[in-house]
Amino acid sequence: MSDKTTLSHGRLKTRFTALGPYFREEISAPERYFFDSLSVCVDAEKDPDAREFWGWWFELAPTEDGFNYRYGVGLYDHKGDWVNESIPQEAREAVDKTLTNFYTKLYTLLDQELNLSLSPSAALTEPKLTGAK
């Protein structure tokens, strides 16, 4: 990469925020960027503070030439914690769609706009994601 300022924490936060509602600035730091999506409400009849959601979370860790990623899918519980839990079939399509849309945007930003790599982490337990063609 020719311009090291592209990797500054402030610039990355600005670029990640522009990807959409996924970036969680308040729990991100220069060594770990966190994203998530509350894709499908489990029970909309519950009070808003008690609602749970099916979705995904995604973490980026900087490397010398870009980022490694890992992610998970599961339940965002009423306490505000992600639980690695099997997603029911009726919610799986929506969760997969939001994850794929996010990853495509992230890949385009990092690979094509910023000329940075995006690779699966050695700690990844989910299937590898593929970038935009």
Side-chain angles (χ1 to χ4, degrees):
M1 188 175 87
S2 62
D3 183 7
K4 289 289 185 189
T5 62
T6 304
L7 276 178
S8 77
H9 180 60
R11 287 179 186 239
L12 285 170
K13 288 189 322 181
T14 299
R15 298 303 292 267
F16 291 155
T17 299
L19 290 175
Y22 312 108
F23 182 54
R24 301 295 175 241
E25 182 177 352
E26 66 280 0
I27 56 176
S28 293
E31 66 279 352
R32 175 183 167 263
Y33 295 92
F34 189 84
F35 306 80
D36 65 3
S37 175
L38 311 179
S39 303
V40 179
C41 185
V42 173
D43 184 357
E45 299 296 317
K46 289 186 176 182
D47 289 333
D49 291 342
R51 290 183 187 159
E52 298 180 319
F53 296 86
W54 298 112
W56 52 263
W57 61 96
F58 194 99
E59 295 180 17
L60 285 179
T63 63
E64 188 172 307
D65 63 346
F67 291 92
N68 283 341
Y69 73 86
R70 68 182 188 152
Y71 71 97
V73 295
L75 180 72
Y76 186 80
D77 68 17
H78 68 278
K79 296 182 285 185
D81 297 322
W82 280 104
V83 179
N84 193 3
E85 192 171 309
S86 182
I87 297 175
Q89 189 60 40
E90 63 270 11
R92 188 66 200 214
E93 185 177 338
V95 171
D96 288 347
K97 182 178 179 178
T98 59
L99 178 58
T100 300
N101 288 343
F102 164 74
Y103 186 79
T104 299
K105 289 178 182 180
L106 180 65
Y107 180 84
T108 299
L109 170 66
L110 295 177
D111 182 68
Q112 296 175 10
E113 295 178 31
L114 300 177
N115 198 29
L116 297 170
S117 69
L118 181 59
S119 306
S121 166
L124 180 68
T125 58
E126 297 289 335
K128 292 179 185 177
L129 299 170
T130 58
K133 302 294 183 231

